[in-house]
Amino acid sequence: MSASVDGRMGGDSLDSFVGGSLAFGRRFNDRFSVEVEGGGATASEGEDSATTAMGFVNVLYSVPVSKRTSLFAGGGAGVLYYKEEFEYMDYYTDYYYTTRYYYSWYGYYPVRTRHSYRQYYMADGTGEAILPAFNATAGLSFSLSRSLSLDVAFRYITTLEGEYKSDEIGDSDVRIDFVGG
């Protein structure tokens, strides 16, 4: 899963993920079917994690290989919700004052000086986006009964660029690409 922020690919790529989906549909003949699919995935690396939830309407084309097995390919459109939790470096500025006394022919007089320094620390942040999404999928379907099948699929999901909101690091535009099984 990778995100492109403000048109630039960032270092935000989470390579290991776990996900799944459930679909309900209608087969019109041996070849064509339409389905409504919902699913999600989660990924993490170190202190960073991302969660997606998605819903699609897909059109699939199947090619029977045997009586209970078929290959399929298709695609669809829908919506993708993306939320991430991350760790980022933040800082606060602290101030302290020093006073020095100087002597002149008028006598002693104080000079107060203000100093500042930045204290850096790691902070937790969150961000989220709701984006229009498209997917392409291909795989193998095993018919378990007349109305139930188990699919193993490979898919590519992409989104249009949309608004990403985060209180900690500010709002920006984001586009998400996902390739996986």
Side-chain angles (χ1 to χ4, degrees), residues 15-178:
D15 295 327
S16 63
F17 60 90
V18 175
S21 65
L22 185 63
F24 297 94
R26 169 110 167 89
R27 185 176 293 277
F28 293 105
N29 55 38
D30 286 345
R31 304 278 181 186
F32 287 99
S33 62
V34 174
E35 66 181 18
V36 175
E37 175 187 18
T42 184
S44 64
E45 187 175 311
E47 297 295 323
D48 298 339
S49 66
T51 303
T52 62
M54 58 198 101
F56 291 103
V57 174
N58 297 323
V59 176
L60 301 173
Y61 181 78
S62 299
V63 177
V65 176
S66 70
K67 186 176 179 181
R68 302 188 79 141
T69 307
S70 64
L71 296 172
F72 67 89
V79 65
L80 182 137
Y81 170 76
Y82 175 77
K83 180 176 183 178
E84 68 177 342
E85 296 175 358
F86 53 87
E87 193 172 61
Y88 68 101
M89 185 175 289
D90 202 358
Y91 68 90
Y92 64 90
T93 304
D94 206 354
Y95 301 97
Y96 67 95
Y97 297 90
T98 58
T99 304
R100 292 185 177 200
Y101 293 93
Y102 293 94
Y103 179 75
S104 74
W105 62 283
Y106 291 114
Y108 286 99
Y109 62 94
V111 174
R112 189 170 188 200
T113 307
R114 178 178 159 178
H115 304 275
S116 66
Y117 65 93
R118 286 187 174 172
Q119 183 71 29
Y120 290 92
Y121 63 97
M122 296 306 289
D124 294 328
T126 61
E128 62 184 10
I130 298 175
L131 307 165
F134 304 95
N135 80 77
T137 185
L140 187 61
S141 181
F142 303 99
S143 178
L144 302 175
S145 71
R146 183 170 168 86
S147 60
L148 184 65
S149 66
L150 176 67
D151 297 346
V152 177
F154 184 83
R155 67 178 43 215
Y156 172 72
I157 298 172
T158 188
T159 66
L160 297 177
E161 194 170 277
E163 186 177 10
Y164 173 85
K165 296 183 180 192
S166 174
D167 291 337
E168 293 81 15
I169 61 173
D171 298 348
S172 62
D173 291 330
V174 66
R175 189 175 74 81
I176 298 171
D177 291 313
F178 168 81

